[in-house]
């Protein structure tokens, strides 16, 4: 297997949050709220992501 | 008891006309009214009609009692997920279907049958019964109307319309008519399930606990295990790891003893996911490896476990040959299942294997928007620290702010969801 090269990311997530917290105006972004109002297309996505829900129909 | 309908049933079965049966007892028009239950005949006429059909009123009353018991047992088996008994009772009921249809249990029969066809995944039959239910719903008693409401709520939940389903289940529970504890428990269970699916885990916990209490009293073990599975998922999502740990220990043991061939590997997988979230990688990987052996390769559940296993390998830098082989399998299975969720993850992991930057770029373009679009907020949230770090490294402050805003929206959304559900 090839040797994996991973660049080290120097700025931590916390630092990024602090930076963004200072740089941005902490207001509700209505555009994003609207963007998150999503409609799921059936059959395209699994029911539960990375967990398994109990069966609700005959288990064949 | 609808004696008129019973008379009609036996008369038709014996191939007699109304004139044949009524001859010397009453007029044909009188019999016609009796048969449609428009008119209650006096005892003498009734006895003469029954005698001509070789029937005894007492026997018919007993038979009705048996039908009531049979239907009750059938719906209870459906609620207990007693697969073998459900099929056995279904055959018994089907054999006397015509008779039931003449009785006062005709509406209940159709309501229960609808539940059965949904459980059996027979969509054609489901549609057929739904049409009948639409037609007869005006004849429902108030109790039957409430049960019909339950069936509609369940149907919405199965079609993933969880918000609408929640509304109807609550309406069902608001009705003070006594319907039996198992209906109530199932309604609580379905509410817990629906709330969990829409990320309102606090509300889900409340209903799951209510359902648990009844399932425990009623000794409905299968459903109790199912409810505990939902609770486990909720505790993990709410980061209540102590509660989750206390729940999973007996749950893993009991499911191994009693449900090894069904939900045991699913529970192992969920427990492992919970351990991954609390960063207990090695313990989690052991559980996932056990689950992978028990699950059918390429099934939906297998994919869930394998994805978690691959991600944990990446996190702790265990990119062995086995990891690479499993990733290739995961990629192939995602194509077989024609499922974009797994496919995007497969490509993302393949890219991450060689370059974190390429992986993040792919996540920004494909995986992250997909997760947001399909409401996988937890997964989307997991990707955000990497994405924000990537843009910080590039000193693209605008993007950092943009994705930080998204992160904040996701957290806010989770909170508002939970408040909404309570």
């Amino acid at each position: 297997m090839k040797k994996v090269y991973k660049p080290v990311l120097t700025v931590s997530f916390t630092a990024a949050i602090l930076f963004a917290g200072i740089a941005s105006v902490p207001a509700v972004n209505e555009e994003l709220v609207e963007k998150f109002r999503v409609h799921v297309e059936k059959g395209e996505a699994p029911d539960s992501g990375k967990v398994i829900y109990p069966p609700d129909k005959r288990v064949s | 008891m609808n004696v008129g309908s019973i008379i009609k049933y036996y008369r038709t079965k014996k191939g007699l006309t109304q004139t044949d049966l009524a001859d010397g007892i009453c007029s044909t028009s009188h019999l016609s009214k009796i048969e449609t239950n428009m008119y209650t005949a006096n005892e003498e006429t009734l006895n003469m009609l029954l005698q001509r059909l070789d029937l005894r009123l007492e026997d018919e009353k007993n038979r009705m009692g048996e039908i009531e018991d049979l239907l009750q047992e059938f719906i209870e088996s459906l609620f207990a997920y007693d697969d073998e008994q459900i099929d056995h009772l279904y055959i018994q009921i089907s054999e006397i279907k015509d008779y039931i249809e003449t009785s006062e249990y005709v509406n209940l029969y159709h309501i229960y049958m609808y539940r059965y066809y949904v459980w059996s995944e027979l969509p054609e039959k489901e549609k057929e019964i739904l049409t009948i239910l639409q037609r007869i719903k005006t004849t429902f008693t108030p109790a039957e109307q409430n049960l019909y409401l339950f069936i509609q709520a369940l149907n919405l939940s199965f079609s993933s319309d969880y918000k609408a389903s929640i509304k109807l289940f609550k309406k069902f529970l608001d009705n003070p008519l006594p319907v039996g504890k198992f209906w109530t428990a199932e309604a609580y269970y379905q509410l817990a399930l629906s709330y969990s699916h829409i990320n309102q885990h606090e509300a889900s916990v409340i209903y799951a606990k209510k359902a648990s209490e009844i399932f425990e009293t009623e000794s409905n073990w299968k459903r109790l295990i199912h409810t505990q599975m939902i609770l486990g998922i909720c505790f993990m999502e709410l980061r209540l790891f102590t509660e989750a740990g206390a729940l999973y220990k007996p749950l893993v043991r009991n499911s191994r003893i009693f449900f090894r061939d069904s939900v045991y590997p699913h529970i192992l997988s969920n427990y492992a996911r919970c351990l991954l979230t609390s960063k207990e990688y090695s313990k989690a990987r052991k559980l996932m490896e056990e689950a992978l052996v028990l699950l059918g390769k390429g099934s939906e559940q297998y994919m869930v476990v394998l994805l978690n296993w691959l991600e944990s390998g990446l996190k702790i830098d265990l990119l062995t040959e086995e990891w690479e082989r499993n990733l290739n399998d995961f990629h192939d299975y995602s194509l077989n299942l024609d499922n974009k969720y797994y496919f995007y993850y497969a490509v993302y992991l393949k890219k991450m294997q060689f370059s974190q930057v390429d992986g993040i770029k792919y996540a920004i373009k494909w995986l992250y928007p997909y997760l947001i679009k399909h409401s996988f907020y937890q997964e989307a949230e997991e990707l955000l620290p990497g994405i924000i770090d990537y843009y910080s490294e590039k000193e693209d402050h605008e993007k950092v702010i943009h994705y930080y805003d998204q992160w904040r929206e996701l957290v806010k959304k989770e909170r508002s969801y939970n408040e909404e559900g309570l």
Side-chain angles (χ1 to χ4, degrees), chain B residues 116-134:
Chain B
Y116 172 79
Y117 291 133
V118 171
W119 171 80
S120 316
E121 293 194 80
L122 294 167
E124 285 308 311
K125 289 274 187 188
E126 217 180 285
K127 265 187 217 160
E128 212 176 280
I129 291 274
L130 208 56
T131 319
I132 298 174
L133 285 173
Q134 286 285 345

Side-chain angles (χ1 to χ4, degrees), chain A residues 21-43:
Chain A
I22 297 160
S24 69
V25 183
V28 178
N29 188 334
E30 291 302 334
E31 226 175 273
L32 279 171
V33 175
E34 194 49 45
K35 203 175 161 190
F36 288 152
R37 214 162 279 157
V38 289
H39 303 280
V40 178
E41 288 168 35
K42 273 176 206 158

